[in-house]
């Protein structure tokens, strides 16, 4: 919970990095956990969500500080 009705969710982790637990402040780029395969999934991965006022929003809009989401999408889908 980042405050201001902004929440991030990390799911399917196999474990958390040392010192990380619910409520601990984190910063961009910090190791927080390790991808896993909890639940009914085909392979280890990270499920990442951003909720604003309880509604899911596209996390791509928040992931990059040096490239626009549109540029990322066009480069990764030639």
């Amino acid at each position: 919970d980042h405050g201001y009705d902004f929440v991030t969710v990390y799911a399917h982790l196999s474990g958390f990095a040392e010192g990380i637990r619910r409520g601990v402040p984190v910063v961009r780029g910090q190791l927080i956990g390790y991808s896993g395969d909890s639940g009914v999934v085909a392979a280890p991965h990270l499920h990442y969500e951003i909720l604003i006022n309880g509604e899911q929003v596209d996390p791509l809009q928040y992931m990059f500080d040096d490239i626009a989401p549109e540029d990322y999408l066009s480069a990764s889908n030639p």
Side-chain angles (χ1 to χ4, degrees), residues 34-65:
Y34 306 95
S35 63
D37 57 2
S38 66
V40 182
V41 298
H45 69 285
L46 170 66
H47 176 94
Y48 177 70
E49 287 183 29
I50 294 178
L51 305 172
I52 298 179
N53 296 317
E55 299 289 325
Q56 292 177 329
V57 297
D58 183 357
L60 192 58
Q61 302 298 322
Y62 298 88
M63 294 179 73
F64 303 100
D65 62 357

Side-chain angles (χ1 to χ4, degrees), residues 3-17:
Y4 307 100
D5 294 316
F6 187 94
V7 174
T8 50
V9 177
Y10 304 83
H12 300 300
L13 296 177
S14 65
F16 293 97

Side-chain angles (χ1 to χ4, degrees), residues 23-34:
V24 170
V26 296
V27 297
R28 181 186 295 258
Q30 178 180 352
L31 177 64
I32 61 165
Y34 306 95

